[in-house]
């Protein structure tokens, strides 16, 4: 198990959050629940990221209540955890006790989760909890047909207290989570180091005739061996034309001599993500055409990295990349400058070969919830991931680093990892 994160991070996160609540508010959060798989199985438990951000607690059946104006000081912050259950402890292992929960989270008042609704009742009818802030997952393009425990919790709370005012925690938490603290940067750097190690292992092991899943197994070995909990997202290990499928994750094809292989991988460490993409030749040597395509992407990447500075935006990164890649695509003979002049502006030609966004925030989630209009500021961590996908040639290339915004140049969290063609070929020769 990962060593815990010092609780000062969660203490500070709660204080920053509470400072933004209007007077006489109470904010309530529920932990995630285990997701059913099939038969009598559940998917491995993963805490809801906002709940973790505020508590550091990785348990189900838990609640957090924050009522900054409540007159009784020890009830302004309460963590509720599952009461001890001997049968559960026998089958699933030791349960978290109140003292340990207090130590992990820094919350001084810890109660059993069976007391949550009655405590909330007291607070919302006290005159010091007139506005109830509820947590919801607000990610514009995410579609999910499953009703989450957070959604049920919202419904239940609103049914119990229909006459109260309500607020959303998401805008506050999204803004806070965009800027990483020192502790978070350190963990994400460690996660990137582990992911980088896994990539180095791929450089040593990939060869024609292997299967994508064998390469994935090498990556997972390094992740687990270095105390990461696993993948931060479904890993992409894509040989040849599979790399043109943007979220390919079957990872079950044989690797052909002469093809490229694209990795988009990232371990999760202490619930924090890393996100790396590299593309390498399966036989250790780029063909001229592959090298030309690769260098086109790499040149553009080097240009746009300069834009990861305070005041920059994801929109600016995207638009600049598309413009530069369009020029590179002309040089690669994918279309002509004349074709571009005549193109339908709603369907630009470059979109056939580069159809995704170039950057996202990284933190407790690989794609952290964001305010996409907020300019970059020191402490933000974003991916930089231009790509080029030429399906008809079986060439799919993406190169991705994670960048920490500073007051000056960004810090590359994958600094030193082989990226240039010569570096990749030299590492594969060893
Ligand atoms: N790592 C996958 C993605 O950024 O979409
Ligand atoms: Mn990414």
């Amino acid at each position: 198990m990962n060593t815990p994160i010092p609780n000062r991070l969660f203490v500070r996160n709660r204080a920053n959050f509470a400072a933004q609540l209007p007077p006489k508010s109470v904010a309530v959060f529920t932990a995630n629940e285990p997701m059913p798989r099939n038969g009598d199985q559940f998917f491995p438990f993963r805490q809801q990221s906002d709940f973790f951000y505020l508590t550091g607690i990785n348990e189900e059946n838990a609640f957090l209540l924050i009522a900054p104006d409540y007159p009784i000081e020890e009830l302004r912050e309460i963590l509720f955890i599952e009461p001890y259950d001997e049968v559960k402890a026998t089958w699933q292992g030791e349960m978290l006790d109140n003292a340990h929960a207090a130590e992990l989270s820094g919350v001084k008042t810890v109660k059993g989760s069976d007391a949550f609704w009655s405590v909330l009742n007291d607070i919302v009818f006290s005159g010091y909890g007139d506005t109830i802030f509820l947590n919801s997952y607000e990610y514009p393009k995410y579609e999910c047909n499953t009703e989450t425990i957070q959604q049920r919790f919202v419904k239940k709370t609103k049914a119990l207290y229909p006459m109260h005012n309500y607020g959303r925690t998401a805008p506050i938490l999204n803004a806070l989570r965009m800027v990483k603290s020192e502790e978070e940067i350190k963990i994400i750097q460690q996660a990137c180091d582990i992911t980088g190690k896994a990539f180095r292992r791929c450089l040593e092991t990939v060869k024609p005739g292997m299967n994508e899943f064998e390469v994935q197994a090498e990556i997972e070995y390094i992740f687990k061996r270095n105390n990461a909990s696993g993948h931060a997202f479904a890993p992409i290990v894509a040989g040849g034309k599979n790399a043109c499928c943007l979220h390919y994750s079957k990872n079950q094809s044989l690797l052909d001599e002469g093809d490229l292989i694209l990795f988009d991988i990232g371990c999760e460490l202490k619930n924090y993500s890393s996100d790396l993409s590299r593309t390498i030749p399966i036989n250790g040597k780029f063909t001229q055409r592959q090298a030309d395509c690769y260098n086109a992407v790499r040149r553009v990447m080097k240009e746009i990295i300069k834009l990861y500075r305070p005041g920059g935006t994801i929109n600016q990164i995207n638009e600049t990349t598309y413009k530069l890649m369009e020029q590179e695509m002309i040089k690669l003979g994918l279309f002509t400058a004349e074709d571009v002049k005549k193109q339908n502006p709603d369907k630009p030609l470059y979109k056939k070969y580069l159809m995704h966004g170039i950057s996202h925030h990284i933190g407790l989630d690989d794609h952290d919830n964001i305010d996409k209009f907020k300019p970059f500021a020191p402490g933000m961590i974003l991916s930089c991931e231009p790509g080029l996908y030429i399906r008809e040639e079986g060439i799919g290339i993406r190169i991705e680093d994670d960048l920490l915004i500073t007051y000056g140049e960004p810090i590359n969290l994958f600094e030193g990892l082989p990226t240039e063609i010569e570096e990749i070929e030299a590492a594969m020769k060893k």
Side-chain angles (χ1 to χ4, degrees):
M1 188 55 191
N2 296 316
T3 49
I5 301 171
N7 69 22
R8 62 172 181 271
L9 172 66
F10 311 112
V11 171
R12 198 188 316 123
N13 290 349
R14 288 192 299 275
N16 288 340
F17 170 76
Q20 299 207 34
L21 291 175
K24 296 184 178 177
S25 297
V26 53
V28 278
F29 302 83
T30 172
N32 255 351
E33 63 187 339
M35 295 290 162
R37 206 187 99 164
N38 241 306
D40 62 354
Q41 295 296 304
F42 291 90
F43 287 103
F45 180 79
R46 168 58 157 77
Q47 188 56 280
Q48 200 266 349
S49 295
D50 288 330
F51 192 89
F52 185 82
Y53 183 78
L54 295 169
T55 65
I57 298 290
N58 272 321
E59 301 288 325
E60 57 179 293
N61 197 359
F63 302 95
L64 174 70
L65 182 155
I66 298 177
D69 295 339
Y70 196 64
I72 304 173
E73 199 181 331
E74 58 270 27
L75 297 184
R76 287 179 192 161
E77 257 187 20
I78 313 170
L79 176 65
F80 300 83
I81 61 164
E82 188 166 350
Y84 183 76
D85 173 341
E86 195 157 341
V87 176
K88 191 167 178 180
T90 304
W91 283 86
Q92 295 179 21
E94 267 320 296
M95 292 181 69
L96 187 68
D97 63 34
N98 288 14
H100 193 194
E103 191 184 313
L104 289 172
S105 63
V107 178
K108 295 200 177 78
T109 305
V110 181
K111 294 176 181 282
S113 50
D114 47 352
F116 173 74
W117 292 103
S118 69
V119 173
L120 179 62
N121 210 52
D122 281 348
I123 291 178
V124 299
F125 289 135
S126 67
Y128 292 91
D130 294 345
T131 303
I132 305 174
F133 273 73
L134 292 169
N135 191 228
S136 59
Y137 183 61
E138 301 186 6
Y139 200 98
K141 284 196 183 132
Y142 185 64
E143 283 175 32
C144 173
N145 296 321
T146 308
E147 189 174 58
T148 63
I149 190 170
Q150 285 76 28
Q151 288 164 323
R152 298 202 308 275
F153 183 74
V154 167
K155 276 190 194 163
K156 179 169 175 176
T157 309
K158 286 190 156 179
L160 284 171
Y161 309 112
M163 308 287 281
H164 277 66
N165 304 318
Y166 281 92
R168 287 150 53 227
T169 61
I172 303 174
L173 284 169
N174 289 358
L176 288 175
R177 282 179 50 190
M178 280 172 83
V179 178
K180 273 69 188 174
S181 57
E182 243 174 71
E183 294 88 346
E184 292 177 297
I185 293 168
K186 204 167 137 197
I187 299 167
I188 296 173
Q189 176 67 75
Q190 287 166 348
C192 289
D193 292 345
I194 297 169
T195 299
K197 256 190 206 178
F199 172 62
R200 286 183 194 277
R201 187 159 177 114
C202 294
L203 286 169
E204 288 165 11
T205 46
V206 163
K207 55 178 184 303
M210 276 178 96
N211 196 297
E212 290 164 351
F213 63 69
E214 289 176 80
V215 184
Q216 182 178 338
E218 299 290 335
I219 293 163
E220 284 167 357
Y221 173 75
I222 297 293
F223 284 3
K224 288 284 185 185
R225 198 72 183 74
N226 287 278
N227 206 16
S229 52
H231 297 282
F233 52 87
I236 298 170
V237 180
K241 64 173 178 359
N242 292 342
C244 297
C245 168
L246 295 181
H247 278 169
Y248 174 80
S249 58
K250 278 198 190 120
N251 305 346
Q252 283 177 4
S253 297
L254 283 175
L255 301 181
D256 284 336
E257 167 82 36
D259 275 349
L260 297 172
I261 178 169
L262 184 155
F263 305 94
D264 188 340
I265 56 172
C267 76
E268 184 173 79
L269 182 73
K270 301 182 185 190
N271 290 7
Y272 283 86
S273 300
S274 54
D275 192 353
L276 171 76
S277 299
R278 285 290 185 276
T279 310
I280 65 173
I282 289 167
N283 65 8
K285 183 105 189 78
F286 286 85
T287 64
Q288 189 57 52
R289 177 65 173 170
Q290 289 165 348
D292 290 345
C293 294
Y294 188 93
N295 282 330
V297 178
R298 182 66 184 138
R299 262 193 302 276
V300 171
M301 184 178 189
K302 283 180 177 163
E303 277 309 303
I304 55 172
I305 283 180
K306 297 176 190 161
L307 303 176
Y308 285 72
R309 283 180 171 260
T313 62
I314 288 182
N315 197 35
Q316 179 192 22
I317 302 286
N318 284 338
E319 292 313 314
T320 309
T321 305
Y322 299 145
K323 226 176 256 149
L324 294 174
M325 280 306 300
E326 184 173 74
Q327 291 308 306
E328 295 289 353
M329 288 174 197
I330 292 170
K331 283 189 238 154
L332 289 167
L334 296 174
F335 46 75
T336 64
E338 280 309 301
D339 294 335
V340 172
K341 274 190 204 139
K342 288 184 287 188
Q343 74 188 358
N344 173 353
D346 294 334
K347 280 192 187 159
L349 294 169
Y350 73 78
K351 271 213 185 305
K352 180 176 172 201
Y353 303 103
L354 173 54
M355 51 306 257
H356 60 72
I358 309 302
S359 183
H360 56 84
H361 284 255
I362 299 167
L364 283 168
D365 293 300
D366 179 42
H367 294 178
D368 254 4
N369 288 353
I370 53 153
D371 169 353
K372 69 178 173 184
F373 299 108
K374 201 163 188 162
F376 301 160
M380 292 182 179
I381 296 180
L382 295 116
S383 72
C384 175
E385 48 182 313
L388 176 66
Y389 311 91
I390 315 174
R391 195 175 282 270
E392 53 274 25
E393 297 182 43
I395 290 178
I397 294 165
R398 184 158 62 254
I399 315 174
E400 176 179 24
D401 282 335
D402 300 346
L403 303 172
L404 168 66
I405 306 290
T406 73
Y407 288 99
E409 283 179 17
I411 293 174
N412 188 340
L413 303 185
F414 288 111
E415 187 62 43
L417 204 61
T419 311
E420 305 302 342
I421 285 186
E422 311 74 57
E423 295 171 330
I424 289 170
E425 289 184 346
M428 293 186 80
K429 226 184 229 165
K430 280 191 193 148

